[in-house]
């Protein structure tokens, strides 16, 4: 981890109640009154954005430099309610000592990863959602929380000190995307529809997406991958845009599933739906129960 340097930050904005479904026109740091966070700085998860307007509890928008002290400290047990969105977060141990401040493109997946890797250091969290944020905005939000803590305590949080890799995400080796055929010019001995049928029935979760698992080619596919990652479920992916090894898959899959768009997610051999359905089930908790 690179050495940390800080510059002075000034802010004068005051918190105000804000409902995102009524306005999403300007970026800002949104502080959930109930949600919690995670993922280590400097590692960033994939950018995830909601594809449909969805109802949320009211939360506060505030200047990032003032937000750490004003943000509600929540028990780590509420981790499952954290949204898969960009933001800044602070993790406290069971003695309520701040251990780490991080930023993430998917705070829901980040907090889950921290809880699994260092449970003894995770007692509670604070989270600020940064709407429509680029890397610079996220970094500034992170920096303001760090600076606020240093001003109060005179110390950098232990996990943010140079050389401390406790909170750095250890990126697991990702699975390769499945290729249904040996190549478009090779004659198949088995009909493509049968190959699809075998695949979805022999694997618990299969996501047919645009692009690869590591580089989705549309926002809907990207969100599906982010949600599946946040659930920690073992899943397979198939790139419907791969015309070399999945030639003809897009039209054949539409016929097989009777579903006209992509991505398509199958669970235990049955079509669950596309991005909107998966997002809705993720937000109301149904998806977690399905994967148990």
């Amino acid at each position: 981890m690179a050495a940390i340097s800080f510059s002075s930050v000034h802010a004068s904005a005051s918190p105000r109640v804000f409902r995102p479904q009524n306005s999403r026109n300007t970026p800002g740091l949104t502080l959930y009154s109930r949600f919690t966070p995670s993922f280590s700085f400097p590692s960033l998860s994939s950018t995830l954005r909601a594809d449909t307007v969805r109802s949320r509890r009211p939360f506060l928008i505030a200047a990032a430099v003032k937000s750490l002290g004003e943000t509600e400290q929540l028990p780590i047990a509420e981790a499952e309610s954290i949204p898969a969105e960009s933001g800044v977060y602070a993790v406290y141990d069971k003695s309520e000592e701040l251990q780490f401040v991080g930023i993430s493109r998917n705070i829901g997946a980040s907090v889950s990863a921290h809880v699994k890797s260092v449970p003894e250091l995770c007692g509670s969290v604070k989270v600020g959602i940064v709407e429509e944020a680029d890397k610079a905005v996220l970094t500034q939000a992170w920096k303001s929380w760090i600076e606020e803590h240093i001003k109060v305590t005179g110390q950098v949080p232990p996990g943010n000190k140079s050389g401390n890799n406790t909170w750095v995400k250890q990126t697991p080796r990702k699975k390769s995307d499945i290729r249904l055929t040996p190549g478009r010019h090779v004659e198949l001995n088995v009909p493509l529809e049968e190959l699809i049928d075998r695949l979805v029935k022999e694997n618990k979760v299969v996501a047919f997406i645009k692009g690869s698992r590591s580089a989705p080619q549309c926002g809907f596919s990207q969100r599906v991958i982010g949600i599946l990652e946040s659930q920690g479920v073992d899943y397979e992916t198939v790139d419907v845009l791969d015309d070399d090894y999945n030639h003809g898959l897009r039209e054949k899959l539409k016929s097989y599933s009777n579903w006209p768009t992509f991505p398509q997610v199958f669970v235990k051999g049955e079509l669950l739906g596309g991005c909107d359905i998966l997002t809705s089930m993720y937000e109301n908790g149904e998806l977690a129960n399905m994967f148990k």
Side-chain angles (χ1 to χ4, degrees):
M1 182 177 291
I4 301 173
S5 62
F6 306 101
S7 59
S8 59
V9 180
H10 301 280
S12 59
S14 300
R16 61 187 177 84
V17 175
F18 177 71
R19 295 179 182 273
Q21 61 265 36
N22 293 331
S23 174
R24 295 176 69 100
N25 296 324
T26 57
L29 176 66
T30 61
L31 306 179
Y32 275 81
S33 58
R34 287 184 52 78
F35 285 150
T36 9
S38 133
F39 242 36
S40 47
F41 182 86
S43 46
L44 298 175
S45 310
S46 300
T47 308
L48 298 172
R49 297 179 57 193
D51 306 301
T52 55
V53 176
R54 55 192 188 276
S55 177
R56 290 182 181 153
R57 287 169 289 189
F59 51 87
L60 295 177
I61 251 187
V65 70
K66 298 170 61 178
S67 63
L68 181 61
E70 298 170 349
T71 306
E72 182 182 1
Q73 194 166 321
L74 304 168
I76 206 69
E78 294 190 20
E80 290 186 358
S81 67
I82 301 171
E85 298 196 45
S86 303
V88 58
Y89 64 94
V91 183
Y92 294 77
D93 62 19
K94 294 176 176 63
S95 299
E96 298 190 355
E97 294 293 328
L98 179 61
Q99 293 295 316
F100 180 75
V101 177
I103 55 178
S104 174
R105 292 289 189 182
N106 181 350
I107 55 177
S110 297
V111 70
S112 297
H114 287 323
V115 171
K116 290 178 182 177
S117 63
V118 284
E120 69 280 5
L121 296 179
C122 300
S124 58
V125 289
K126 292 185 177 185
V127 174
I129 303 299
V130 181
E131 298 286 348
E132 307 291 341
D134 58 19
K135 184 176 180 179
V137 175
L138 285 170
T139 302
Q140 183 60 34
W142 169 83
K143 185 197 248 183
S144 68
W145 278 25
I146 289 280
E147 289 176 339
E148 181 181 343
H149 179 72
I150 292 174
K151 184 176 181 180
V152 173
T153 67
Q155 297 182 346
V156 174
N160 294 103
K161 291 181 179 179
S162 180
N164 187 329
N165 295 320
T166 302
W167 300 87
V168 176
K169 179 186 178 185
Q170 302 300 316
T171 305
R173 187 173 181 178
K174 289 190 174 183
K175 282 186 176 183
S176 299
D177 301 291
I178 289 179
R179 292 173 171 177
L180 288 178
T181 77
R184 65 179 301 171
H185 300 298
V186 178
E187 185 176 351
L188 297 178
N189 295 322
V190 179
L192 185 56
E193 186 167 351
E194 185 175 333
L195 294 176
I196 296 171
D197 190 62
R198 288 181 186 177
L199 177 64
V200 300
K201 290 180 178 176
E202 291 175 1
N203 296 277
K204 183 178 180 180
V205 181
V206 181
F208 293 89
I209 63 174
K210 291 183 178 180
S212 66
R213 175 191 298 249
S214 58
Q217 296 299 303
C218 77
F220 298 113
S221 294
Q222 186 176 39
R223 179 156 181 80
V224 163
I225 293 300
I227 290 175
L228 292 176
E229 287 288 333
S230 74
Q231 298 302 295
V233 65
D234 184 34
Y235 67 98
E236 306 295 339
T237 53
V238 184
D239 180 3
V240 300
L241 300 181
D242 185 349
D243 214 33
D244 289 326
Y245 294 96
N246 297 322
H247 181 66
L249 175 60
R250 276 173 287 177
E251 294 307 315
K252 188 63 68 175
L253 185 59
K254 290 178 183 179
S255 173
Y256 175 84
S257 64
N258 195 30
W259 193 268
T261 60
F262 299 100
Q264 295 184 20
V265 179
F266 287 77
V267 178
K268 299 176 182 178
E270 300 292 333
L271 176 67
L272 181 64
C275 183
D276 288 351
I277 291 176
L278 196 73
T279 297
S280 177
M281 294 183 69
Y282 168 72
E283 292 177 344
N284 63 29
E286 291 181 64
L287 198 61
N289 293 329
M290 177 176 289
F291 291 151
K292 286 182 179 179

